[in-house]
Amino acid sequence: MLFIFGLLLLLKPTVTCVEMFCRFNQTDPCYAALGHKLYLQMVTDARDQNLTLFKWIDNKIDGFINVKKNKISNEHESIKNRSEFIFNNGTLIINSVIRTDSGRYRLEIYDSTGTQTHDVNLPVIVEAPVGSVELSIICSGEMRASCSSEGDQLIFSWTLNGQELEDRNNIIHLDEETSGNITCTVNNHVSRGQKIISVNRCPVECSVSVVFVVVWSLEMMLLLTLLGGFHIYIKYCSTHTSGTTTATVTSHLTSTVTDSTSGHVVCSVSVVFVVVWSLEMMLLLTLLGGFHIYITYCSTHTSVECSLSVVFVMVWSLEMMLLLTLLGGFHIYIRYCSTHTSGRKQEEEIAL
């Protein structure tokens, strides 16, 4: 049985997206958030500068934008309706970044004589930002925390009651007794998302299984007593006949039925044997059947709760086995052996 809990939300999921500001003199790649703005600073001041920005498209370099004498020319078709250029800080702003904005850009700077003074490259990588963070706790034999979100190159981190956990996967395994606040943080190069939930130990539903074990054990022990009693009686008495007259002699815990005419013993049953045999068989059945049912219905729960259930089942089973053996075993014995005394009673009545 699988069930999910931890529905108490302490903090609404938060997602923070960074509008990336990149410079052509940086050594690291430039990351851009899909659907957001990208700032590409070419120079600190583009006034009176001659700049040409190229981009590799389909393995070919293509002119992207030209800046000359405070004017923009040859703006590439892919950014014509979603870009702007700030001259006083030399920054190209690309709005609503798309996947095809990824690629390698090349900036060339020329002096007033047309001589190239700078040539620098900058790789741009577009990533989808982190979406809404979903966090849930799952109990299925063990406690697990599962965190998910949309986005590219996701990195997961966890804290439990403020303490950072080493696991960096989106699913982590926790102790069954874990309780408190669990935080899942999801990052990539352009955004960050987080969600916190409060959890308690995995719930246990062994009470249903205990009821089933109790009912099943009661039925099976009654059946075993009946079958065992019949088996013992048939084994010891089936080959004999009562004859015309019989006599019954009881010595301690052994009952013997004797033919009054021939003096031969036709039935002898030890109550001790009945009790011991029944206890052994019922205990075996309880161990095999009861534990099988327990494992089937309780294996998903905590060891502490299940150990209490085992104690309860075992104590109850021993009490019920003893009671059923005393009641059922003696009842079966008396029922099937009492009829053999009729011959002796008749004989005594004739003698009188």
Side-chain angles (χ1 to χ4, degrees), residues 54-108:
F54 299 91
K55 182 186 178 186
W56 272 262
I57 301 175
D58 297 330
N59 296 322
K60 296 186 298 182
I61 193 168
D62 198 1
F64 209 63
I65 189 173
N66 287 337
V67 178
K68 187 175 183 180
K69 295 181 180 180
N70 297 327
K71 291 184 180 181
I72 297 175
S73 61
N74 299 328
E75 191 173 16
H76 195 273
E77 186 68 25
S78 64
I79 62 169
K80 182 172 291 186
N81 297 322
R82 58 186 183 94
S83 66
E84 55 184 308
F85 190 83
I86 309 299
F87 284 91
N88 60 1
N89 63 8
T91 301
L92 172 66
I93 303 174
I94 301 177
N95 298 302
S96 301
V97 170
I98 58 178
R99 293 284 187 182
T100 56
D101 290 333
S102 293
R104 186 156 60 97
Y105 291 78
R106 176 178 176 181
L107 174 64
E108 296 179 357

Side-chain angles (χ1 to χ4, degrees), residues 235-248:
K235 180 177 181 181
Y236 287 91
C237 298
S238 61
T239 59
H240 306 287
T241 60
S242 61
T244 56
T245 58
T246 57
T248 301

Side-chain angles (χ1 to χ4, degrees), residues 75-185:
E75 191 173 16
H76 195 273
E77 186 68 25
S78 64
I79 62 169
K80 182 172 291 186
N81 297 322
R82 58 186 183 94
S83 66
E84 55 184 308
F85 190 83
I86 309 299
F87 284 91
N88 60 1
N89 63 8
T91 301
L92 172 66
I93 303 174
I94 301 177
N95 298 302
S96 301
V97 170
I98 58 178
R99 293 284 187 182
T100 56
D101 290 333
S102 293
R104 186 156 60 97
Y105 291 78
R106 176 178 176 181
L107 174 64
E108 296 179 357
I109 303 176
Y110 301 87
D111 61 17
S112 58
T113 64
T115 302
Q116 180 177 319
T117 59
H118 291 84
D119 182 357
V120 63
N121 294 286
L122 178 66
V124 174
I125 301 173
V126 175
E127 284 188 354
V130 174
S132 178
V133 178
E134 300 295 332
L135 177 57
S136 62
I137 305 299
I138 303 172
C139 283
S140 179
E142 61 180 352
M143 180 184 287
R144 292 177 295 161
S146 176
C147 188
S148 62
S149 181
E150 297 179 348
D152 295 331
Q153 305 297 320
L154 299 181
I155 301 173
F156 295 87
S157 59
W158 299 84
T159 60
L160 174 60
N161 296 324
Q163 298 295 319
E164 186 175 355
L165 304 179
E166 296 182 359
D167 208 312
R168 292 294 181 267
N169 298 317
N170 67 313
I171 297 178
I172 62 172
H173 299 269
L174 300 169
D175 186 89
E176 295 169 338
E177 302 298 317
T178 298
S179 63
N181 299 329
I182 295 180
T183 304
C184 174
T185 303

Side-chain angles (χ1 to χ4, degrees), residues 36-51:
H36 292 259
K37 290 184 177 183
L38 171 62
Y39 296 84
L40 287 175
Q41 187 179 41
M42 302 181 189
V43 292
T44 57
D45 190 346
R47 289 172 292 186
D48 299 323
Q49 292 271 14
N50 296 328
L51 310 172

